[in-house]
Amino acid sequence: MLNRRHIRIKVLQILYAFFHSQSDDIIKCERELDKSMNKAHVLYVHLLVLLVNLKSLAEQKIEMGKNKLLPTQDDLNPNTKFIDNKILCLLTENLSLIDKAESEEIFWDENPELQGKLLRQIQESEIYNTYMAAASSSFIEDRKFVSALFMEFIAPNEDLHTFLEEKSIYWLDDFAISNLSVVKTLKSLKPESDEYSRILPVFKDEDDKDFAHNLLTRTLANSAEYKKYVVETASNWDEERISDMDQLLMQMAISELLNFETIPVKVTLNEYIELSKDYSSQKSKLFINGVIDKLAVRFKEEGKLKKLGRGLVE
C-alpha cells in the first residue's frame, strides 16, 4: 500500500518530531515510525469498511420499509441492485478485511449520523439513480459504479476527514494514499475473486519496509555529518538561514545517496524536490536541488557514491 514517496513523508515527519522534542530515544522513534505507517493502513481499512457499512445501512432501510404499518409497493418490492452489487458483496465477505477490521478499533459506529447522511447523498445522486435504473448489470459495471461513488462521495468528503482526523493525528496526510489504495483494491477485484482475496498489505514487499527503517536510522545516526555537508556546500548561506525542514530534507537525500545503492541519484533528487514543494517554502526546491546536485558530484569524485543495479541509472 505505502509507496516510497509516502514512506519518505512518514520518515520526514518522525525526524522532524524527534529533533524538536527533548527525547533522544531512537528506539522510541522507530516505534513511532512503525505506528505511523500502520495507522495509514488502518485508515485504508476504515474506508473499505465504510463501503460495507453503506451496503448494510441500505439493507436495513429496505427492511424498515417492508415493516411499515402501511408499506407501499416500492417498499414491498424494493430495487435491491445496490445491496446485490457484486463488489460490495465481495467486500462484505472478504475474510482478510473482516480479520483486519476485528483486530483494529473501527470508529464508524460512533457516528451513525455521518454514515446515514452519506447514504442519503449517494441515493439522491444521479450516479446512483442511473445505476439503479439500468435494466441489467455486469461485474465490470458494478465495479465501475462502486469506484465512482467512492471517488465522488467518500474520497473528498470533508465531514469524513474531520471525523477521522479527530481519531488519529497520523491521518492528516494519509487520505491521498489511502484513497488511492481503495481504488486500487476495487480495480483488483475480478469475477473469479472470492472471500479469500487479499486486501493490500502495509508494504509492497520487505524491501520497502527495510527502506523505511534504514532511511530513519541512518539519517539519525549521521545527522551531524550530513548537516556539515549541507553547510559546506551552501557556503554562501548562513547556517541559521537554512530552515529546519530544508535541513531534514537534504539530510535524508544525502542518506539516500550514500546508503541506498539501488536508488538512482536522479530519483533521490527528484523525490526531495517534490517533497519540498509540499513541506517547505517556494524557494526551497531550487536551493535543495543546487545543494544535493553539487553533493552528488562531490561524492562521486570522492568515491563515496556507490550505486548498483537500477541505481546506476543516471
Side-chain angles (χ1 to χ4, degrees):
M1 174 192 155
L2 295 180
N3 58 39
R4 288 286 177 101
R5 178 167 297 177
H6 202 72
I7 289 171
R8 290 181 177 96
I9 291 170
K10 291 291 186 184
V11 172
L12 175 65
Q13 292 169 338
I14 297 299
L15 285 171
Y16 189 87
F18 178 83
F19 286 118
H20 285 79
S21 71
Q22 302 300 316
S23 173
D24 59 356
D25 189 342
I26 294 178
I27 301 299
K28 182 180 178 181
C29 193
E30 289 188 82
R31 287 199 205 101
E32 283 298 311
L33 177 61
D34 281 333
K35 186 175 180 179
S36 178
M37 293 188 294
N38 286 326
K39 277 292 185 180
H41 191 259
V42 173
L43 177 58
Y44 158 69
V45 171
H46 266 80
L47 296 174
L48 288 174
V49 170
L50 179 57
L51 289 171
V52 173
N53 285 2
L54 292 174
K55 175 182 180 297
S56 179
L57 282 175
E59 290 172 335
Q60 293 173 28
K61 188 174 179 180
I62 286 174
E63 288 303 311
M64 289 174 63
K66 289 180 179 179
N67 293 323
K68 284 181 181 177
L69 187 61
L70 295 171
T72 65
Q73 283 300 310
D74 285 342
D75 291 328
L76 294 172
N77 299 286
N79 185 341
T80 62
K81 193 172 180 181
F82 179 74
I83 64 174
D84 292 335
N85 180 282
K86 300 175 184 65
I87 301 301
L88 295 179
C89 289
L90 279 173
L91 291 177
T92 301
E93 298 164 0
N94 187 280
L95 296 177
S96 180
L97 178 58
I98 292 170
D99 181 63
K100 186 65 178 176
E102 288 178 348
S103 67
E104 301 291 346
E105 185 178 6
I106 303 297
F107 299 112
W108 294 124
D109 288 346
E110 297 179 17
N111 199 333
E113 295 83 6
L114 185 60
Q115 295 177 85
K117 178 182 177 181
L118 180 57
L119 181 62
R120 287 193 297 274
Q121 290 174 343
I122 289 171
Q123 291 184 328
E124 291 169 2
S125 70
E126 183 178 350
I127 292 174
Y128 178 87
N129 288 304
T130 299
Y131 171 76
M132 297 295 282
S136 62
S137 65
S138 66
F139 188 93
I140 293 175
E141 288 169 343
D142 281 3
R143 187 173 60 195
K144 186 183 297 184
F145 165 71
V146 175
S147 296
L149 72 84
F150 180 83
M151 292 304 298
E152 181 73 20
F153 297 100
I154 297 176
N157 193 298
E158 292 185 3
D159 289 338
L160 292 178
H161 289 192
T162 300
F163 172 69
L164 290 170
E165 284 170 9
E166 290 173 354
K167 298 300 176 183
S168 175
I169 59 172
Y170 295 99
W171 287 342
L172 186 61
D173 293 310
D174 289 340
F175 284 101
I177 188 67
S178 296
N179 288 335
L180 287 173
S181 297
V182 170
V183 173
K184 185 176 180 180
T185 300
L186 296 175
K187 289 181 177 180
S188 73
L189 295 174
K190 302 291 189 294
E192 60 272 18
S193 298
D194 57 22
E195 66 270 26
Y196 297 103
S197 301
R198 304 294 296 177
I199 63 172
L200 296 176
V202 180
F203 302 102
K204 180 182 68 176
D205 51 37
E206 284 298 314
D207 286 346
D208 280 357
K209 184 176 181 179
D210 291 342
F211 169 73
H213 282 277
N214 288 334
L215 181 59
L216 176 72
T217 56
R218 291 180 184 183
T219 304
L220 281 172
N222 299 288
S223 176
E225 181 183 357
Y226 296 165
K227 188 174 184 178
K228 183 180 177 182
Y229 283 139
V230 170
V231 172
E232 289 173 351
T233 307
S235 56
N236 58 331
W237 282 67
D238 292 332
E239 185 177 343
E240 290 75 16
R241 291 179 61 196
I242 303 175
S243 72
D244 291 346
M245 186 59 73
D246 286 353
Q247 267 285 4
L248 279 180
L249 287 166
M250 288 186 285
Q251 287 179 36
M252 289 172 65
I254 293 167
S255 186
E256 278 196 30
L257 289 176
L258 297 178
N259 299 300
F260 296 86
E261 297 175 335
T262 61
I263 301 178
V265 172
K266 185 177 291 186
V267 169
T268 295
L269 190 59
N270 289 341
E271 285 295 322
Y272 288 96
I273 290 172
E274 287 302 312
L275 288 182
S276 73
K277 294 177 184 177
D278 292 328
Y279 292 92
S280 198
S281 66
Q282 289 185 340
K283 295 181 180 180
S284 292
K285 65 178 182 179
L286 296 176
F287 177 55
I288 291 172
N289 179 60
V291 171
I292 301 304
D293 195 42
K294 288 179 182 178
L295 282 172
V297 172
R298 171 182 168 178
F299 294 152
K300 189 172 183 179
E301 291 174 348
E302 294 176 353
K304 295 178 180 177
L305 193 65
K306 299 175 181 178
K307 297 293 180 179
L308 300 172
R310 62 182 296 272
L312 293 168
V313 179
E314 291 296 335

